[in-house]
Amino acid sequence: MGCSAALLLNATKYLAGIDHEEKLIPQSLIEPVQKTKTEYLGAKNPRLHTDEVLVALSVLSQDDDNCRKALEQLPNLRHCQVHSTVMLSEVDRKIFKKLGCGLTCDPVHKK
């Protein structure tokens, strides 16, 4: 998954008191999404974006208490500051905005 998606997962796990090592989204769910993105939709990047991770958490939350607890932490991210050293995708920037997070980027451009 992408760095923004991992950040959301780690932040919500922390706020929910879920062990950092706990995997909320199983690889068996990630792989079909990656395949759809690359093979059927023509994406070059198989990593999951923030919106895809949030949808996966939502689906899993019906049967998994940890996913539900993590999802319930999203309102607690409002007014948090996020900083990235890489340019984020439009999707990820929009998700952070919808969550009410302040986002700054300081990318290093290759010459």
Side-chain angles (χ1 to χ4, degrees):
M1 68 186 60
C3 60
S4 296
L7 170 73
L8 275 181
L9 283 178
N10 288 334
T12 57
K13 286 190 328 189
Y14 176 81
L15 291 170
I18 300 168
D19 187 85
H20 180 71
E21 299 302 318
E22 179 75 24
K23 302 289 185 206
L24 294 180
I25 304 174
Q27 193 64 29
S28 61
L29 180 65
I30 293 172
E31 289 173 358
V33 174
Q34 290 176 319
K35 181 177 180 176
T36 299
K37 287 180 74 164
T38 57
E39 292 186 22
Y40 305 128
L41 299 177
K44 293 183 182 4
N45 180 353
R47 291 185 296 252
L48 274 61
H49 290 286
T50 50
D51 60 339
E52 295 159 335
V53 165
L54 291 175
V55 169
L57 269 184
S58 298
V59 171
L60 292 167
S61 70
Q62 297 299 306
D63 299 316
D64 187 300
D65 285 339
N66 281 337
C67 289
R68 181 185 48 74
K69 290 175 187 174
L71 213 51
E72 289 172 349
Q73 297 307 311
L74 291 177
N76 293 326
L77 297 177
R78 185 162 302 285
H79 305 298
C80 285
Q81 294 294 309
V82 177
H83 180 75
S84 176
T85 58
V86 298
M87 291 300 296
L88 300 181
S89 71
E90 184 69 20
V91 169
D92 290 341
R93 288 194 305 267
K94 285 181 178 180
I95 292 294
F96 283 124
K97 184 175 182 177
K98 288 178 181 181
L99 290 172
C101 297
L103 174 65
T104 57
C105 292
D106 187 21
V108 176
H109 296 281
K110 292 183 180 182
K111 294 180 182 182

